[in-house]
Amino acid sequence: ERELVVPAKGLVVLVGVSGSGKSTFAARNFAPTQVVGSDSCRGMVSDDENDQSATADAFGLLHHLVDTRLRRGLLTVVDATNVDSSARKRLLRIAADNDLPAVAVVLDPPEQLVRDRGAARADRALPDSALSRQYRQMRNGLEGEGFHEIHVLRDPQEIDSVVVRTRP
Ligand code: CTP
Ligand code: MG
């Protein structure tokens, strides 16, 4: 079984298209308070996790929460697609400003599985074109951006069974 080691004090940036399983992975491997998610932040500033007009405010809150938690030395997991390098750079800057490492966990299960899950999902209807755009953005690698480590998980069984450990 695969072990995934992350810093006990630091930032874990999940990266994956909508439906790749980020929220499921975060809930299985981390305490709820360790996970800062774009959807829950959107909900907190709009009463509707799908209200796209709240996106800027939601990310303002997300970045504030991440910064506050890292300043307090708490392991923090960002549950957002983070397929866009500018989104990752913002998070990397917050970690660096707090002198803490950031690691990326890329969830990239087979595209057909992701599309099938999306079609079966009741809580969200993402247009095919939006998912395709996310996949195009995903093609840009994360190398050289400043992550201390980049873990890429592609096998759905591995994503479901990986064991996360913290390194002091
Ligand atoms: N899912 C599943 N088996 C898994 C992981 C996810 O069946 N091992 C299902 C979930 O139940 C959900 C869908 O796939 O219905 C998407 O998973 P989710 O964790 O919500 O994906 P996210 O990456 O968080 O998607 P989003 O960016 O839209 O929040
Ligand atoms: Mg999610």
Side-chain angles (χ1 to χ4, degrees), residues 17-24 39 79 81 117 121 124 160:
V17 301
S18 179
S20 59
K22 301 177 298 296
S23 299
T24 304
D39 291 327
D79 178 9
T81 58
R117 281 181 190 161
R121 235 171 130 176
R124 190 155 321 166
D160 284 348

Side-chain angles (χ1 to χ4, degrees), residues 15-22 80-83 107-109 111 114 121 126 130-136 138:
V15 178
V17 301
S18 179
S20 59
K22 301 177 298 296
T81 58
N82 294 313
V83 289
L107 302 185
D108 189 19
E111 181 167 348
V114 172
R121 235 171 130 176
L126 190 78
L131 191 59
S132 295
R133 183 168 53 83
Q134 292 179 3
Y135 268 109
R136 281 197 299 280
M138 275 273 286

